[in-house]
Amino acid sequence: MKPLAIEGMGIVCTRGRGLDKFVQALKEGWIEPSLSEEGRMAYRISQADLSDREVLKRARRADRFSRLTVLAAHDAMRDSALKPEDAQKTGVIVATAFGAHGTIFKFLDDIIDYGEKNVSPTTFAHSIHNAAASYIAGVLECKGPTMTITQFHFSFQQALVLAYAWLHEGRADRVLVGVAEECSPAMEYICEEKLSIAADGKMDPLSFSEKPKLVPGEGSVFYLLSLNQERKKYGAFADVVIGRRNPEWNDLGLSVVGAHGMAGSERGYANVLKKGKAVSAYSMIYGGMLTGGGFDCAAAALALKNQELYGAGVLSDTGFCKTENLKAGKEINAVQCVSHGCDGELAFIKIIK
Amino acid sequence: MTVGKEEELASIREKLKVLLVSNLAFLDELDPASIKDDEILFGEGLGLDSLDAVEIVVLLQRHFDVHIKDMKEGRAVFYSIDTLARYVHENIPKDKQ
Amino acid sequence: MKIYVTGLGLVSAAGKGEEETLETFRTGSRHAGPVTLFSSEISSPVFEVKNFDRHYYSKRLRTVNLCLAAVEDALKDGGLGREIKGLRVGVALGTTVGSILNDLDFYREYRAAGKASMAAVDRYLQGNLASIVHSFIKTEGPAITVVNACASGADAVGIAMSWIKSGLCDLAIAGGADEMNRVPLCGFGSLGILSENLCQPFDAARNGLNLGEGAGVLLLENEKSLRSRGARVRALIRGYGTSNDAHHLTSPDPEGNGLARAITEALQEAEIEASEVSFINAHGTATRDNDLVEGRVLHRLFGTKVPFLSTKGYTGHTLGAAGGLEAAFSILALEEGWIPGSAGFTDGDPEILLAPAAERTFFEGGFALSTSLGFGGCNAALVIERPHEESSVL
């Protein structure tokens, strides 16, 4: 695989909108999650961070899921300083696990409250998962291929693989690849029933627990990718390995563990990490999301750009080197982000400077 | 004493304005009271489009039990708040008045 | 690099499998009626797959079962079993309904009581198409569930092609599946694009679509894979084009420029001219907007000489399955040398400038074009070729 140069990044999560806010969060570490009306904890995005009249003027009807997606994608494009006339052959891939479930539940509300013949067509149109990608295409005038990938495991990793295939074939000259998830009361209830919510609100991803604790999160992060290494701003995605093989890369300055509390036992991570090497995890920053790997890669890319190992807020030290224990000054040339799915499968993403 | 036709129309217009503001998405916050009776719904006026049109069809069904059988008929009806109110007034089932 | 199709699996109201489907096309029969799979106030006719009894998982995971039936048939057609050793196999499947947690009973219970049984959630978590097929065939290779509205199935085939050409896998299972479901039935109804009658694609009197369900899956492979095991080549996927209108959430760009780009891209990849296309399997949903835009684009690019049809008069609009099914139908047509009449069509619409084949139509030549347009401005086009004699078995 040829490296996918990261020309720009955009991010919206509970810690705010923008890369500066995300870096600040990586340095500050954990903050207390918010409580819903139903009394459930989650890392939610503030309404203020989802408002932007200028960007969203062509998306006035966009629901929460589409808003957070469009804003992150827009910010990635703006960050790259790509001129609009050069964006025409840009592809768009949105990777998600649960999609716009808040909107789907709203549609079910309509069926229950008003009957099958009086449901809202606007709500239906937004419940189709590719609405967000469609808004991105419209707002940013990307007329290349657009795709939405919905799967519980490795959707971001598969999106990177697809982006590579498109660029390799020349189907697009750039691809906006990103992840998006939202919170909703019903989904928070489901998380409470099926998973272990951290009673004190503190996720502990490096505890490699059999029954990890989480606090659900929401957000979106986007990367503008191309094969043009000269436009590289944050490094490049150098490889994606999905399956049962550990690529065991030798040149890593950091491993980011994608333990987000949503995929069952996290013991397996301990088997793929090397003792004495820098390890960190960031899900306590943005919350538990099956597509959390997308956010981990943002942390990795920023670590490479800024040559800083972020590790604040990581609680457990299980024998691996937490980044705050490392001496500063050693050059970081490559970072890997590791995620595991179910069935013992793993995904490794390597980002290089 | 029965309420006159003009009062009925005025009441429907006000209800429509509230429904449009609370169910459709506008770029800026809109006060229903600021919408003129002859405000044009599509294009230059409120700037609605085809998806808003089918949303309005559903709102008329839900809140007035009024049905638009054919969207071609809908074009003239959906011209302004006023034309919409008149259509609702003419077609509202007797038991819903 | 050539991409070969060595297996087909198809299930729809037109037939469970190739024989039944071809019989439906020969006789022009339309198997539609009111929805029976669940109770509904909506009376629009739908195209359900009757007597479908192949269950791999819970009966309530209907999209999964339809999909696996088609996958199994495609594998069998290609001379393969469930385990494929020694080759990297990709899985690209499109769906709309199959990706959403939309169980009404669950949600009703949750709303009323603040809690609910997790059975529906567990089914949903088990039911991701690509994941399930990926473990069904125990493969190593890329896996994607594409949710691109009505272009999903065609895009899945296109993605599989991209993977194989980029060396990411040797063989791929690609297509789409969707079950008859209350959510799109209500949703399309609310948009005012469901017809109360049997749909009439491209007809002057057309007034909306009928929903359908099914699964259409192709087995694609590269030459290395083909030579390693020998197989009958049924077709080649020669080109794929994809674009976005960047126009509107539910309406196509009235100029159809996005669709035109997708078709042109597919023809360019196939290295053929428009004049070499023998027939077109159009998206043809029978809505006023789609057929107008699509028809005019086809007229602009192909003139009036290329026969075309919509098979949605036989299957209804199968959403995520449509692109996969229609690619399969195109392959059958290329093998048979004829396309069925475009069911539901009687009178041409002068605004469309084109009329589909009203009767069974024989054609010359060996290239088909299949088009799909989806909500959100998605356009997909596939160019499919009938194999020459000498490349039928490698």
Side-chain angles (χ1 to χ4, degrees), chain A residues 58 61 98 104-105 107-109 112-113 116-117 119 121 124 126 128-130 134 137 143-152 158 165 168-169 171 185-186 189 194 345, chain C residues 40-41 99-101 107 110-111 115-116 118 122 124-125 128 134 143-148 162 166 182-183 186-187 190 240 242 244 246 248-250 261 269 375-376 378:
Chain A
R58 280 187 67 180
R61 277 186 288 248
F98 298 116
I104 264 286
F105 293 136
F107 191 71
L108 298 182
D109 278 327
I112 295 168
D113 293 333
E116 290 184 341
K117 292 186 177 179
V119 294
F124 172 65
H126 288 82
I128 303 170
H129 280 193
N130 71 322
S134 162
K143 296 185 177 177
T146 54
M147 218 57 65
T148 300
I149 298 174
T150 302
Q151 47 210 71
F152 303 121
Q158 297 287 2
H168 180 260
E169 278 187 292
R171 243 177 241 293
Y189 164 66
K194 302 236 14 115
E345 284 206 320
Chain C
S40 176
E41 296 165 20
S99 63
I100 330 176
L101 176 53
Y107 189 65
Y110 162 75
R111 250 183 51 148
K115 55 187 179 151
M118 288 288 119
D122 289 336
Y124 162 68
L125 293 172
N128 187 275
H134 183 75
I144 256 182
T145 302
V146 178
V147 184
N148 231 27
S162 288
S166 304
R182 192 191 305 280
V183 166
C186 295
S190 70
Y240 164 60
T242 166
N244 195 287
H248 190 271
L249 194 56
T250 52
R261 274 201 315 279
E269 188 173 15
F375 269 8
C378 305

XYZ file of all heavy atoms in Angstrom, chain A residues 58 61 98 104-105 107-109 112-113 116-117 119 121 124 126 128-130 134 137 143-152 158 165 168-169 171 185-186 189 194 345, chain C residues 40-41 99-101 107 110-111 115-116 118 122 124-125 128 134 143-148 162 166 182-183 186-187 190 240 242 244 246 248-250 261 269 375-376 378:
674
model
N -26.082 25.273 3.714
C -26.619 24.374 2.694
C -27.088 23.057 3.317
O -27.331 22.088 2.618
C -25.556 24.102 1.627
C -25.440 25.218 0.617
C -24.512 24.855 -0.504
N -25.050 23.767 -1.328
C -24.433 23.259 -2.381
N -23.263 23.721 -2.742
N -24.970 22.289 -3.092
N -31.484 21.431 7.182
C -32.310 20.374 7.768
C -31.490 19.289 8.456
O -32.051 18.394 9.054
C -33.106 19.681 6.657
C -34.367 20.375 6.267
C -35.104 19.528 5.287
N -34.430 19.547 4.027
C -34.918 20.119 2.936
N -36.089 20.720 2.960
N -34.243 20.093 1.813
N -23.170 2.723 14.245
C -24.609 2.776 14.512
C -25.376 3.820 13.700
O -26.594 3.887 13.758
C -24.865 3.008 16.007
C -24.340 1.915 16.892
C -23.342 2.166 17.818
C -24.828 0.627 16.780
C -22.850 1.148 18.637
C -24.339 -0.403 17.589
C -23.346 -0.131 18.507
N -33.473 7.544 13.512
C -34.302 6.352 13.308
C -35.325 6.223 14.424
O -36.507 5.963 14.174
C -33.433 5.085 13.250
C -33.132 4.741 11.798
C -34.100 3.871 13.848
C -34.328 4.154 11.057
N -34.893 6.445 15.670
C -35.840 6.340 16.784
C -36.911 7.425 16.676
O -38.067 7.204 17.008
C -35.114 6.417 18.136
C -34.218 5.239 18.407
C -32.940 5.413 18.921
C -34.645 3.939 18.141
C -32.102 4.323 19.163
C -33.812 2.847 18.382
C -32.545 3.051 18.896
N -38.071 8.515 13.903
C -39.000 8.029 12.885
C -39.956 7.008 13.494
O -41.159 7.005 13.206
C -38.223 7.420 11.718
C -39.068 7.124 10.519
C -39.570 8.147 9.731
C -39.376 5.819 10.165
C -40.364 7.880 8.621
C -40.168 5.544 9.055
C -40.654 6.577 8.291
N -39.422 6.136 14.347
C -40.284 5.165 15.029
C -41.275 5.886 15.949
O -42.425 5.468 16.083
C -39.447 4.150 15.815
C -38.492 3.284 14.986
C -37.745 2.281 15.878
C -39.214 2.528 13.889
N -40.836 6.988 16.559
C -41.752 7.828 17.349
C -42.940 8.254 16.491
O -44.091 8.199 16.904
C -41.056 9.119 17.835
C -40.221 8.915 19.078
O -40.594 8.075 19.918
O -39.190 9.614 19.214
N -45.412 5.477 15.882
C -46.198 5.193 17.087
C -47.187 6.321 17.364
O -48.356 6.093 17.675
C -45.274 5.000 18.307
C -44.391 3.755 18.109
C -46.075 4.868 19.591
C -43.247 3.632 19.101
N -46.734 7.566 17.245
C -47.575 8.710 17.634
C -48.585 9.114 16.573
O -49.683 9.564 16.890
C -46.691 9.924 17.944
C -45.840 9.715 19.187
O -46.273 8.928 20.060
O -44.752 10.305 19.270
N -48.721 5.104 10.469
C -47.816 4.853 9.343
C -47.959 5.872 8.225
O -47.009 6.130 7.487
C -48.089 3.466 8.776
C -47.654 2.347 9.701
C -47.869 0.999 9.053
O -48.665 0.928 8.093
O -47.239 0.033 9.492
N -49.150 6.441 8.091
C -49.371 7.327 6.947
C -49.051 8.784 7.269
O -49.186 9.653 6.415
C -50.825 7.217 6.481
C -51.137 5.864 5.865
C -52.542 5.843 5.296
C -52.813 4.526 4.613
N -54.170 4.466 4.073
N -46.064 9.846 8.952
C -44.675 9.974 9.409
C -43.989 11.080 8.633
O -44.407 11.439 7.543
C -43.911 8.651 9.224
C -44.495 7.581 10.133
C -43.954 8.186 7.786
N -41.440 12.733 6.259
C -40.530 12.336 5.180
C -39.115 12.860 5.407
O -38.140 12.214 5.025
C -41.154 12.967 3.930
C -42.071 14.034 4.419
C -42.502 13.643 5.779
N -37.417 10.499 7.724
C -37.065 9.270 7.000
C -35.812 9.492 6.152
O -34.881 8.679 6.172
C -38.220 8.835 6.096
C -37.858 7.699 5.179
C -37.541 6.444 5.703
C -37.790 7.874 3.803
C -37.173 5.391 4.864
C -37.428 6.817 2.965
C -37.120 5.584 3.495
N -33.399 11.399 6.538
C -32.179 11.500 7.344
C -31.833 10.197 8.041
O -30.733 10.037 8.557
C -32.310 12.636 8.366
C -32.234 13.984 7.734
N -33.322 14.582 7.131
C -31.204 14.835 7.563
C -32.956 15.740 6.637
N -31.678 15.933 6.870
N -31.648 7.371 6.616
C -30.848 6.557 5.697
C -29.390 6.950 5.933
O -29.048 8.126 5.892
C -31.268 6.826 4.233
C -32.763 6.530 4.088
C -30.467 5.970 3.281
C -33.349 6.968 2.771
N -28.539 5.964 6.157
C -27.202 6.254 6.662
C -26.355 7.157 5.783
O -25.425 7.776 6.279
C -26.425 4.954 6.897
C -26.793 4.294 8.185
N -26.058 3.280 8.742
C -27.803 4.525 9.030
C -26.629 2.909 9.867
N -27.672 3.641 10.069
N -26.635 7.203 4.492
C -25.743 7.983 3.647
C -26.153 9.449 3.548
O -25.566 10.203 2.788
C -25.612 7.373 2.241
C -26.875 7.532 1.438
O -27.977 7.413 1.968
N -26.752 7.806 0.148
N -23.987 12.564 1.880
C -24.631 13.400 0.871
C -24.502 14.878 1.235
O -24.217 15.718 0.378
C -26.096 12.990 0.774
O -26.854 13.981 0.138
N -20.983 16.004 0.548
C -20.786 16.214 -0.892
C -21.391 17.540 -1.326
O -20.800 18.283 -2.102
C -21.404 15.055 -1.677
N -17.792 15.920 -5.960
C -18.623 15.187 -6.904
C -18.040 13.829 -7.265
O -18.501 13.166 -8.183
C -18.849 16.032 -8.158
C -19.634 17.300 -7.819
C -20.004 18.120 -9.019
C -20.849 19.307 -8.542
N -21.212 20.220 -9.604
N -17.032 13.431 -6.535
C -16.452 12.115 -6.760
C -17.306 11.056 -6.085
O -18.443 11.302 -5.706
N -16.759 9.851 -5.942
C -17.539 8.774 -5.333
C -17.835 9.084 -3.863
O -16.989 9.653 -3.172
C -16.613 7.558 -5.447
C -15.245 8.097 -5.647
C -15.388 9.420 -6.295
N -19.017 8.743 -3.398
C -19.337 8.875 -1.973
C -19.843 7.542 -1.465
O -20.602 6.862 -2.143
C -20.419 9.935 -1.685
O -21.557 9.648 -2.478
C -19.956 11.325 -1.977
N -19.416 7.183 -0.295
C -19.762 5.876 0.227
C -19.950 5.979 1.729
O -19.254 6.752 2.383
C -18.592 4.926 -0.068
C -18.987 3.528 -0.462
S -20.071 3.369 -1.902
C -19.062 3.976 -3.226
N -20.881 5.201 2.256
C -21.043 5.101 3.699
C -20.873 3.643 4.081
O -21.483 2.766 3.477
C -22.437 5.613 4.133
O -22.556 6.972 3.735
C -22.612 5.492 5.636
N -20.018 3.399 5.062
C -19.749 2.028 5.503
C -20.326 1.884 6.896
O -20.018 2.680 7.786
C -18.229 1.789 5.569
C -17.626 1.942 4.178
C -17.925 0.415 6.128
C -16.130 1.876 4.179
N -21.181 0.895 7.059
C -21.786 0.671 8.375
C -21.435 -0.723 8.842
O -21.955 -1.699 8.323
C -23.323 0.794 8.303
O -23.670 2.074 7.807
C -23.940 0.613 9.671
N -20.536 -0.816 9.793
C -20.289 -2.097 10.439
C -19.739 -1.853 11.823
O -19.210 -0.786 12.111
C -19.377 -3.010 9.610
C -18.148 -2.373 9.076
C -17.717 -3.026 7.769
O -18.352 -2.875 6.719
N -16.624 -3.746 7.808
N -19.925 -2.847 12.681
C -19.608 -2.639 14.086
C -18.101 -2.635 14.331
O -17.619 -1.959 15.222
C -20.315 -3.687 14.950
C -21.805 -3.678 14.748
C -22.472 -4.809 14.312
C -22.538 -2.523 14.942
C -23.845 -4.787 14.087
C -23.909 -2.488 14.725
C -24.557 -3.628 14.296
N -11.547 -0.311 7.221
C -11.994 -0.684 5.870
C -12.157 0.563 4.994
O -11.940 0.518 3.781
C -13.328 -1.452 5.924
C -13.256 -2.779 6.663
C -12.515 -3.861 5.884
O -12.008 -3.647 4.779
N -12.419 -5.039 6.475
N -7.763 2.099 -2.424
C -8.129 1.494 -3.716
C -8.590 2.571 -4.702
O -8.205 2.578 -5.877
C -9.210 0.435 -3.524
N -5.569 4.659 -5.784
C -4.693 3.821 -6.610
C -5.244 3.699 -8.022
O -4.517 3.736 -9.013
C -4.581 2.439 -5.948
C -3.719 1.477 -6.689
N -4.227 0.496 -7.512
C -2.376 1.350 -6.732
C -3.227 -0.194 -8.031
N -2.105 0.299 -7.578
N -6.566 3.560 -8.120
C -7.200 3.423 -9.436
C -7.400 4.757 -10.137
O -7.771 4.779 -11.300
C -8.606 2.859 -9.250
C -8.722 1.378 -9.082
C -10.190 1.029 -9.091
O -10.901 1.409 -8.141
O -10.630 0.398 -10.069
N -9.851 6.779 -9.224
C -11.276 7.092 -9.180
C -11.523 8.433 -8.487
O -12.543 9.081 -8.689
C -12.027 6.003 -8.405
C -12.998 5.290 -9.256
C -13.680 4.166 -8.518
N -13.383 2.927 -9.173
C -13.817 2.604 -10.382
N -14.583 3.419 -11.051
N -13.488 1.456 -10.927
N -30.735 8.839 23.858
C -31.185 8.202 25.101
C -31.380 6.693 24.960
O -30.975 5.931 25.834
C -32.511 8.910 25.396
C -32.379 10.248 24.746
C -31.555 10.017 23.517
N -31.971 6.272 23.846
C -32.230 4.832 23.691
C -30.920 4.061 23.589
O -30.762 2.992 24.188
C -33.092 4.579 22.449
N -29.279 3.741 26.904
C -29.943 2.674 27.672
C -29.396 1.310 27.248
O -29.076 0.458 28.082
C -31.465 2.741 27.454
C -32.172 1.476 27.875
C -32.215 1.087 29.216
C -32.765 0.638 26.927
C -32.835 -0.087 29.602
C -33.380 -0.538 27.313
C -33.411 -0.900 28.644
O -34.024 -2.076 29.022
N -26.162 -3.688 28.070
C -25.303 -4.691 27.431
C -23.840 -4.589 27.854
O -23.090 -5.521 27.668
C -25.367 -4.524 25.894
C -26.754 -4.640 25.373
C -27.053 -5.669 24.320
C -26.129 -6.744 24.015
N -26.678 -8.060 24.353
N -10.247 -11.159 15.893
C -9.614 -10.393 14.811
C -9.085 -9.058 15.331
O -9.630 -8.482 16.257
C -10.631 -10.133 13.705
C -10.891 -11.368 12.866
C -11.353 -11.013 11.466
O -12.148 -10.071 11.341
O -10.910 -11.674 10.517
N -49.939 -3.724 8.077
C -49.669 -2.331 7.717
C -50.933 -1.655 7.233
O -51.801 -2.288 6.630
C -48.601 -2.288 6.621
O -48.394 -0.964 6.196
N -51.019 -0.347 7.482
C -52.140 0.445 6.962
C -51.908 0.795 5.500
O -52.801 1.291 4.822
C -52.239 1.786 7.710
C -52.546 1.689 9.183
C -52.261 3.024 9.889
O -52.200 4.074 9.214
O -52.076 2.991 11.122
N -28.955 -2.443 8.021
C -27.928 -1.796 8.829
C -28.499 -0.989 9.985
O -27.766 -0.360 10.728
C -27.141 -0.843 7.937
O -28.006 0.171 7.462
N -29.819 -0.976 10.119
C -30.424 -0.072 11.102
C -31.113 -0.833 12.226
O -31.726 -1.868 12.012
C -31.524 0.809 10.448
C -31.265 1.095 8.986
C -31.667 2.098 11.207
C -32.377 1.873 8.347
N -31.044 -0.263 13.418
C -31.826 -0.789 14.549
C -33.197 -0.146 14.462
O -33.388 0.987 14.887
C -31.129 -0.448 15.870
C -31.882 -0.862 17.147
C -32.272 -2.332 17.123
C -31.033 -0.564 18.378
N -38.731 -0.663 20.418
C -38.761 0.766 20.713
C -40.044 1.145 21.441
O -40.047 1.981 22.350
C -38.592 1.577 19.428
C -38.403 3.040 19.708
C -37.279 3.483 20.386
C -39.370 3.969 19.336
C -37.110 4.828 20.676
C -39.207 5.310 19.627
C -38.074 5.729 20.291
O -37.907 7.056 20.590
N -39.574 0.139 25.002
C -38.634 1.046 25.675
C -39.301 2.386 26.000
O -39.153 2.948 27.079
C -37.390 1.261 24.793
C -36.572 2.470 25.172
C -35.756 2.455 26.302
C -36.648 3.642 24.424
C -35.023 3.583 26.670
C -35.923 4.765 24.781
C -35.116 4.734 25.905
O -34.415 5.866 26.254
N -40.054 2.886 25.044
C -40.722 4.176 25.247
C -41.730 4.113 26.387
O -41.865 5.023 27.186
C -41.467 4.576 23.971
C -40.860 5.726 23.240
C -41.645 6.139 22.041
N -43.055 6.349 22.289
C -43.778 7.251 21.633
N -43.200 8.034 20.744
N -45.064 7.356 21.842
N -37.512 0.674 29.559
C -36.630 -0.492 29.421
C -37.293 -1.464 28.448
O -38.498 -1.345 28.168
C -36.389 -1.171 30.767
C -37.667 -1.573 31.480
C -37.388 -2.082 32.874
C -38.728 -2.436 33.510
N -38.666 -3.469 34.489
N -36.521 -2.393 27.952
C -37.075 -3.341 26.983
C -36.181 -4.565 26.882
O -35.004 -4.524 27.252
C -37.184 -2.671 25.608
N -33.754 -7.132 25.271
C -32.614 -6.897 24.372
C -32.591 -7.843 23.167
O -31.640 -7.819 22.379
C -31.296 -7.051 25.141
C -31.012 -5.909 26.102
S -30.554 -4.380 25.246
C -31.859 -3.303 25.777
N -29.918 -7.702 20.165
C -28.961 -8.798 19.908
C -29.032 -9.247 18.461
O -28.002 -9.507 17.826
C -29.247 -9.981 20.840
C -28.860 -9.666 22.285
O -27.994 -8.794 22.484
O -29.446 -10.268 23.213
N -29.894 -7.433 15.914
C -29.297 -6.351 15.140
C -27.772 -6.432 15.194
O -27.096 -6.307 14.171
C -29.808 -5.018 15.698
C -29.023 -3.788 15.344
C -28.989 -3.316 14.036
C -28.351 -3.066 16.326
C -28.286 -2.159 13.722
C -27.655 -1.911 16.020
C -27.628 -1.461 14.715
O -26.929 -0.317 14.419
N -27.238 -6.698 16.385
C -25.784 -6.762 16.536
C -25.187 -7.965 15.812
O -24.031 -7.938 15.402
C -25.408 -6.792 18.026
C -25.710 -5.507 18.798
C -25.475 -5.712 20.294
C -24.870 -4.341 18.298
N -24.971 -7.779 10.899
C -24.277 -6.963 9.907
C -23.856 -7.848 8.739
O -23.143 -8.827 8.921
C -23.068 -6.273 10.540
C -22.437 -5.297 9.574
O -21.621 -5.674 8.744
N -22.819 -4.045 9.673
N -18.568 -12.752 6.069
C -17.131 -12.904 6.337
C -16.883 -14.094 7.259
O -15.987 -14.914 7.013
C -16.657 -11.604 6.976
C -15.198 -11.511 7.275
N -14.223 -11.318 6.328
C -14.541 -11.546 8.452
C -13.041 -11.240 6.906
N -13.199 -11.384 8.200
N -13.696 -6.603 4.071
C -15.143 -6.804 4.212
C -15.810 -5.463 4.465
O -15.361 -4.703 5.321
C -15.446 -7.753 5.362
N -16.850 -5.189 3.707
C -17.518 -3.891 3.819
C -19.017 -4.050 3.694
O -19.484 -4.760 2.813
C -16.997 -2.958 2.675
C -16.020 -1.945 3.239
C -18.100 -2.234 1.958
C -15.510 -0.977 2.214
N -19.760 -3.393 4.596
C -21.204 -3.260 4.399
C -21.437 -1.828 3.927
O -21.165 -0.874 4.654
C -21.985 -3.514 5.702
O -21.679 -4.808 6.189
C -23.482 -3.405 5.449
N -21.927 -1.712 2.725
C -22.118 -0.405 2.098
C -23.563 0.036 2.296
O -24.494 -0.725 2.003
C -21.871 -0.513 0.569
C -22.119 0.812 -0.101
C -20.474 -1.003 0.305
N -23.741 1.243 2.798
C -25.106 1.732 2.931
C -25.186 3.021 2.133
O -24.971 4.109 2.667
C -25.456 1.952 4.419
C -26.901 2.360 4.576
C -25.209 0.668 5.191
N -25.450 2.890 0.878
C -25.483 4.023 -0.041
C -26.845 4.129 -0.693
O -26.954 4.367 -1.901
C -24.386 3.820 -1.108
C -23.516 5.048 -1.226
O -23.374 5.805 -0.277
N -22.946 5.243 -2.399
N -12.649 -2.721 -7.406
C -11.516 -1.873 -7.005
C -10.545 -2.662 -6.140
O -9.325 -2.548 -6.288
C -11.993 -0.651 -6.217
O -12.643 0.282 -7.038
N -6.711 -3.558 -7.141
C -5.637 -3.003 -6.309
C -4.857 -4.095 -5.592
O -3.989 -3.796 -4.780
C -6.215 -2.031 -5.276
O -6.958 -1.033 -5.912
N -41.141 -2.249 7.315
C -42.100 -1.174 7.581
C -41.477 0.216 7.424
O -42.138 1.158 6.963
C -42.647 -1.322 9.005
C -43.838 -0.463 9.323
C -44.114 -0.497 10.823
N -44.275 -1.863 11.313
C -45.385 -2.569 11.204
N -46.450 -2.030 10.638
N -45.446 -3.803 11.661
N -40.229 0.356 7.828
C -39.634 1.707 7.839
C -39.562 2.311 6.430
O -40.080 3.406 6.220
C -38.262 1.705 8.564
C -37.487 2.970 8.290
C -38.471 1.527 10.061
N -43.210 2.990 5.046
C -43.789 4.238 5.559
C -43.038 5.443 5.002
O -43.632 6.467 4.654
C -43.701 4.300 7.085
S -44.662 3.051 7.918
N -41.716 5.322 4.973
C -40.887 6.453 4.553
C -41.138 6.880 3.121
O -41.348 8.056 2.825
N -44.436 8.509 2.829
C -44.496 9.899 3.304
C -43.890 10.857 2.280
O -44.259 12.023 2.225
C -43.765 10.041 4.634
O -42.370 9.900 4.462
N -16.831 0.337 -13.992
C -17.677 0.836 -12.891
C -17.477 2.339 -12.809
O -16.349 2.838 -12.868
C -17.250 0.164 -11.579
C -17.733 0.815 -10.303
C -19.087 0.973 -10.007
C -16.810 1.245 -9.336
C -19.518 1.552 -8.811
C -17.225 1.817 -8.141
C -18.586 1.967 -7.882
O -18.995 2.531 -6.691
N -18.876 5.892 -10.588
C -19.620 6.327 -9.407
C -19.417 7.821 -9.216
O -18.319 8.347 -9.414
C -19.175 5.539 -8.165
O -19.676 6.196 -6.990
C -17.666 5.469 -8.027
N -21.307 11.661 -7.220
C -22.361 12.255 -6.403
C -22.828 13.548 -7.056
O -22.024 14.323 -7.543
C -21.852 12.526 -4.987
C -22.991 12.804 -4.030
O -23.608 13.859 -4.070
N -23.302 11.838 -3.191
N -24.104 16.084 -5.570
C -23.892 17.244 -4.678
C -25.021 18.248 -4.857
O -24.804 19.453 -4.984
C -22.534 17.902 -4.960
N -29.059 17.476 -3.788
C -30.203 17.459 -2.855
C -30.283 16.093 -2.195
O -29.836 15.095 -2.737
C -31.496 17.748 -3.645
C -32.704 18.002 -2.778
N -33.534 17.003 -2.347
C -33.212 19.153 -2.243
C -34.504 17.518 -1.591
N -34.341 18.814 -1.517
N -30.887 16.090 -1.006
C -30.940 14.841 -0.237
C -31.827 13.778 -0.875
O -31.524 12.593 -0.825
C -31.438 15.160 1.189
C -31.258 14.083 2.245
C -29.808 13.653 2.355
C -31.731 14.602 3.597
N -32.942 14.183 -1.471
C -33.880 13.173 -1.975
C -34.177 13.300 -3.468
O -34.694 12.371 -4.064
C -35.220 13.220 -1.212
O -35.706 14.569 -1.221
C -35.058 12.767 0.226
N -21.801 11.393 -15.651
C -20.374 11.179 -15.302
C -20.108 9.739 -14.920
O -19.105 9.149 -15.314
C -19.962 12.077 -14.129
C -19.510 13.462 -14.488
C -18.657 14.110 -13.401
N -19.178 13.952 -12.045
C -20.134 14.684 -11.497
N -20.718 15.641 -12.193
N -20.546 14.469 -10.262
N -13.658 3.021 -18.412
C -12.908 1.917 -17.794
C -13.046 0.657 -18.652
O -12.104 -0.116 -18.804
C -13.413 1.644 -16.373
C -12.519 0.635 -15.641
C -12.872 0.449 -14.170
O -13.973 0.876 -13.751
O -12.053 -0.135 -13.447
N -30.785 7.875 -3.163
C -30.989 9.078 -2.356
C -29.626 9.600 -1.940
O -28.697 8.845 -1.718
C -31.755 8.710 -1.079
C -33.236 8.810 -1.222
C -33.833 9.040 -2.438
C -34.048 8.661 -0.101
C -35.212 9.117 -2.562
C -35.421 8.743 -0.210
C -36.012 8.969 -1.419
N -29.559 10.894 -1.810
C -28.282 11.494 -1.446
C -27.442 11.771 -2.678
O -26.270 12.100 -2.568
N -26.449 9.737 -5.086
C -25.476 8.714 -5.497
C -25.822 8.136 -6.860
O -26.967 7.833 -7.121
C -25.472 7.564 -4.484
S -25.179 8.124 -2.825
